[in-house]
Amino acid sequence: MMTPNKEDYLKIIFELGGTEHKVTNKQIMNSLQISAPSVSEMMTKLLKDDYIVHVPYKGVQLTEKGENKASILVRKHRLWEVFLVKKLEFPWNEVHEEAEVLEHVTSRELANKLDKFLDYPKTCPHGGVIPSDHGQFPEKNNLSLVHFGKLKEIRIKRVLDDKELLDYLSSLEIKVGQVYTVKEYGIYEGPITLEHDRKEKQISYKAASNIFVEEI
Ligand SMILES: [Zn+2]
């Protein structure tokens, strides 16, 4: 992956739920797979530009300006993903890179035409809500799998748009919409055991922290 730029950071904070609650540097590090000093450095820049607010020991949250900027990018990114999967039959784990490039050359008008052409999809292939053309559309389902209690029944609502994560989930046949019971949390951020239909699957803590679920 190329060194993430300012826009990538805004998008990741948005995806990690930064429109509603604080996102920690550790979460950003995990998701973008970069070092702590790079994250801090970029956070200083985003603070100076009024894209985020920072609460000591809690993390960062998007300002209205940050949320607007992120949601415009996320809208274009997710519309292209829907197009690639639905119309060009790309698998869901292979659209991120393409959408990453396309979002930067997409005008507002093109995004709106694409939206109409696709019949106004609500979510991307990874379960992310597609923001509307006029402003914010907060991401829902922001609670990750690592925050759930043992023996809870959950449905996977959304997974982070990340090639490695998607490849990993595909290899385990884990998809958006599936229902599992959380059987076991490994100690010290160990693997998490999910069960469905008497079959167990183990996923790493890192992957689980980028899988967003709802309790059912
Ligand atoms: Zn997506």
Side-chain angles (χ1 to χ4, degrees):
M1 188 177 178
M2 289 186 309
T3 321
N5 61 26
K6 209 183 264 185
E7 296 180 335
D8 296 322
Y9 276 87
L10 286 174
K11 278 195 302 178
I12 214 76
I13 299 169
F14 183 96
E15 284 204 70
L16 291 170
T19 54
E20 284 183 322
H21 57 75
K22 309 282 179 299
V23 173
T24 64
N25 277 14
K26 190 183 166 199
Q27 283 178 286
I28 300 169
M29 259 169 68
N30 268 337
S31 301
L32 287 177
Q33 301 179 37
I34 32 169
S35 67
S38 321
V39 176
S40 322
E41 199 185 308
M42 184 59 88
M43 290 306 124
T44 311
K45 284 186 198 160
L46 295 179
L47 265 171
K48 239 173 67 193
D49 290 345
D50 279 330
Y51 283 126
I52 54 169
V53 286
H54 176 254
V55 180
Y57 307 108
K58 289 234 166 104
V60 298
Q61 194 163 349
L62 293 170
T63 59
E64 205 181 316
K65 183 183 171 190
E67 193 173 326
N68 276 328
K69 177 122 177 135
S71 67
I72 289 168
L73 290 163
V74 168
R75 170 174 167 78
K76 293 171 180 174
H77 185 97
R78 291 182 176 168
L79 283 171
W80 280 119
E81 286 184 336
V82 175
F83 176 79
L84 293 166
V85 169
K86 283 235 167 102
K87 303 292 175 189
L88 303 187
E89 293 172 7
F90 273 76
W92 79 320
N93 53 332
E94 279 171 25
V95 291
H96 182 75
E97 314 277 288
E98 306 282 354
E100 201 63 27
V101 176
L102 290 164
E103 74 186 40
H104 294 289
V105 292
T106 303
S107 66
R108 183 177 180 184
E109 196 192 353
L110 176 55
N112 288 344
K113 293 224 157 138
L114 187 59
D115 196 14
K116 187 177 171 202
F117 176 69
L118 296 167
D119 202 16
Y120 308 104
K122 296 244 177 332
T123 55
C124 81
H126 314 102
V129 172
I130 297 175
S132 74
D133 175 50
H134 26 265
Q136 302 100 317
F137 201 133
E139 192 75 79
K140 293 195 191 84
N141 308 308
N142 289 320
L143 216 46
S144 86
L145 189 49
V146 298
H147 293 112
F148 271 78
K150 219 171 127 174
L151 296 179
K152 290 259 164 71
E153 212 183 343
I154 54 102
R155 178 180 285 115
I156 299 179
K157 295 294 286 181
R158 178 167 75 89
V159 300
L160 201 74
D161 256 342
D162 173 78
K163 175 95 174 87
E164 264 179 74
L165 173 69
L166 296 173
D167 287 345
Y168 177 72
L169 295 179
S170 294
S171 74
L172 291 169
E173 295 182 351
I174 290 177
K175 297 187 183 96
V176 170
Q178 288 175 334
V179 171
Y180 290 99
T181 307
V182 183
K183 292 291 274 190
E184 194 70 60
Y185 282 95
I187 52 163
Y188 205 60
E189 301 191 353
I192 290 155
T193 310
L194 301 175
E195 189 206 66
H196 177 72
D197 248 1
R198 300 214 181 125
K199 263 188 272 170
E200 289 192 348
K201 290 177 186 177
Q202 278 204 331
I203 57 168
S204 71
Y205 183 90
K206 192 175 159 186
S209 59
N210 291 316
I211 297 174
F212 304 92
V213 301
E214 67 174 7
E215 195 181 340
I216 50 170

